[in-house]
Amino acid sequence: MNASSVLATEVQQAGGVAGAAWLIVALPLFGAAVLLIGGRRTNAWGHLLGTATVLGSFAYGVVLFFDTVAREAEQRVAEAHLFSWIPVDALQVDFGLRIDPLSLTFTLLITGVGALIHIYSIGYMAHEPGGDDRRRFFGYFNLFVAAMLILVLGNGFVTLYLGWEGVGLASYLLIGWYTQRPAAATAAKKAFLMNRVGDVGLAVAIFIMFSELGTTQYTEVFARIGELGTPLITALALLLLLGACGKSGQFPLQSWLPDAMEGPTPVSALIHAATMVTAGVYLIARANPIYNATADGRLVVVIIGAVTLLIGCVIGCAYDDIKKVLAYSTVSQIGYMILAVGLGPLGYALGIMHLLAHGFFKAGLFLGAGSVMHAMNDDVDMRHYGGLARIMPVTFATFGLGYLALIGIPPFSGFFTKDAIIEAAFGQEGWRGWVFGGAALLGAGLTAFYMTRLVLMTFFGEKRWEKLVSRDEAGNETAYHPHESPTVMTVPMIILAVGSVGAGAFFALGDRLAEWLAPSVGELQESAHGVLPHWLIPYLTVGLSLVGVLVAWLVVGRRPVPVTKPQPVSWPVRAARADLYGNAFNEAVFARPGTWLTRALVFFDARGVDGLVNGVAAGLGGSSGRLRRLQTGFVRSYALSMLGGGILVVAALLMVRFV
């Protein structure tokens, strides 16, 4: 089945249940409007309304999913036209929804996992700073969910861009939730600005589509993409990739995502684990007809994914901050997904499959980290933990299942989804198989190391917190009193843990998910050859993961954990703790030269442009002031001036005549 032809010719008008799909977006948007406009009057019940709207969207999404499943594969792509959005001469943009397997898959992920995180947040935000204003927090949450749904359900690139910018705004508001913390404000601005860099690429790509094809709607763009030359198609692919790098935290725009951990932990779980950071993967998978037409574009995507997954793994090995370790784990796992979709028909479905499994176990891991922080006075330093397994048994069990899924131990989810990507990478011919497959395999071992280190430092060993005190927001010393989280927090963790156990096998066995996604991304192709036999790769992956576990146990499990960072440390550790100098590079190459350029332009504007204008004005003003003195109002002065002028004219004429 050719993906491009499916997208171009088999789009039907949505009717029945699909005709009211706008309710999926309208419900959280309504919740956001009520909570943000209603003000303090909604404080008492705002969190309940915010949660109910997302649950309602999830329920309708489930109904729409089963309605679509009941149809034949060739009838599973439909569009619901809502209204004419931008009718300006040649630019005709309709606002509509595209209901197909890809958009429905993301809809269920966003609303399903999102609803669980909303429920968790009811308990988590009750005692957080600003908790008395949590209806505003849930309003921002609803706004984010609505924007993300517009992004994945929109039927064109302009509609996608609307949702794209909406999630950027909501992310900025949520990351900077702790207004009393300067670091949170800085992280929010950093995320917002770095996302704008990526957004420029997406915007320019949309401009090119309209300029060359006269349309930005998916159906028309994908049907006519062959009209463009290969260089222009490659340029489009790279510009879309730039947008994906910004939103999904991929190299070289990855440094904002770990800093975004300054927001409340539910924000990390919703935005930076399960939904927003997957938008880049969605964009590339959605634009698969463009990437199918450019091998060079796909190669760049794979390179970016491989580099990013290794960067995330290496940095994750060095941090002691539990949320930052998980954040860099997210950077790495999104790298796996980008690598997969960069493989084209060999990997579109595999990338989405890992994305879904990751949504379960990474959201569960972030909620587990939030549960630990909730019990440890919001302390994120793993060196202050230890021995929490028996004190927090539910958190430990759910976190442990997510950990096993993430490092790819069979039969947990990650084994089926990540192993499939590694196998597809090794399925490339020549150097590509060795380089990309080797990078993916090395990432599996490093992931097992840093995650085992995290689990050992947090849940096992000496109870280091017994000998320490923490400080509250006012600076007062308080002792640690770890305890299990309330039911409203643990139940979502348990449900996500179930997905961590079984989702991968459910999606992978029998190519169930790949066949479901075929009308959107094309049939999954198998690599016939490769640099390694297919049967060997699972053994290598699991074996290297077990080596990573063993090394972590030898380094951390058998030794006492120092409460302070050991000094001195080797250069690689220092580099990893400095985020491999990514921030320093951006500061030196982009931020400082940009600041200098801005100052130079301001100086040129003030002294050059404004100086020239002001100088001319001053010259004219001074001249007019001096000339004004000739206007005395006396007739004799004017007569004398006329006489003098006449004499000069006569003298000039005589000079010309006789000289």
Side-chain angles (χ1 to χ4, degrees), residues 220-270:
E220 298 168 7
V221 169
F222 296 156
R224 298 174 54 194
I225 195 64
E227 299 176 13
L228 306 181
T230 300
L232 191 55
I233 296 175
T234 302
L236 277 178
L238 296 180
L239 289 168
L240 293 175
L241 174 62
L242 178 60
C245 288
K247 199 66 71 183
S248 291
Q250 297 294 283
F251 177 81
L253 301 176
Q254 80 281 359
S255 60
W256 70 267
L257 198 153
D259 288 0
M261 298 301 107
E262 292 292 339
T265 300
V267 174
S268 304
L270 178 66

Side-chain angles (χ1 to χ4, degrees), residues 60-250:
Y60 199 92
V62 171
V63 173
L64 186 55
F65 168 77
F66 282 110
D67 178 71
T68 305
V69 168
R71 303 174 185 271
E72 296 295 330
E74 61 273 10
Q75 298 177 343
R76 289 177 178 172
V77 179
E79 289 193 1
H81 173 78
L82 300 181
F83 55 87
S84 182
W85 183 20
I86 308 177
V88 182
D89 196 20
L91 180 60
Q92 299 291 324
V93 179
D94 294 332
F95 193 99
L97 304 180
R98 188 182 186 91
I99 297 94
D100 69 351
L102 183 62
S103 63
L104 283 176
T105 299
F106 273 83
T107 296
L108 294 179
L109 174 69
I110 295 164
T111 57
V113 175
L116 293 174
I117 297 173
H118 274 69
I119 295 171
Y120 175 94
S121 300
I122 294 174
Y124 188 91
M125 295 303 296
H127 304 292
E128 283 292 287
D132 56 340
D133 194 24
R134 59 178 172 172
R135 57 90 195 165
R136 183 165 56 90
F137 178 86
F138 279 85
Y140 293 160
F141 250 26
N142 273 198
L143 178 63
F144 170 81
V145 170
M148 192 70 196
L149 288 170
I150 291 174
L151 190 158
V152 300
L153 283 169
N155 67 341
F157 284 98
V158 176
T159 312
L160 176 142
Y161 194 79
L162 173 65
W164 198 268
E165 294 304 303
V167 295
L169 171 63
S171 175
Y172 168 79
L173 295 171
L174 288 165
I175 295 170
W177 174 258
Y178 296 127
T179 55
Q180 72 278 16
R181 300 180 186 175
T186 300
K189 288 186 288 185
K190 183 177 182 179
F192 190 81
L193 293 174
M194 293 196 77
N195 270 267
R196 299 292 75 72
V197 174
D199 294 352
V200 170
L202 178 57
V204 173
I206 294 173
F207 296 155
I208 293 175
M209 291 175 195
F210 174 70
S211 174
E212 298 297 323
L213 300 176
T215 181
T216 61
Q217 302 299 109
Y218 290 148
T219 302
E220 298 168 7
V221 169
F222 296 156
R224 298 174 54 194
I225 195 64
E227 299 176 13
L228 306 181
T230 300
L232 191 55
I233 296 175
T234 302
L236 277 178
L238 296 180
L239 289 168
L240 293 175
L241 174 62
L242 178 60
C245 288
K247 199 66 71 183
S248 291
Q250 297 294 283

Side-chain angles (χ1 to χ4, degrees), residues 413-478:
S413 289
F415 169 73
F416 294 95
T417 59
K418 188 164 63 176
D419 180 79
I421 294 174
I422 297 174
E423 184 175 321
F426 272 115
Q428 305 296 292
E429 296 289 347
W431 66 268
R432 297 187 184 188
W434 289 114
V435 172
F436 300 137
L441 184 62
L442 177 60
L446 292 173
T447 300
F449 171 79
Y450 69 72
M451 284 304 301
T452 303
R453 175 177 176 268
L454 182 153
V455 170
L456 291 174
M457 291 178 68
T458 302
F459 295 103
F460 295 97
E462 180 187 5
K463 299 177 181 178
R464 297 179 295 279
W465 45 270
E466 290 182 332
K467 303 175 183 179
L468 301 171
V469 294
S470 65
R471 294 185 180 275
D472 58 20
E473 293 290 337
N476 302 316
E477 291 188 352
T478 59

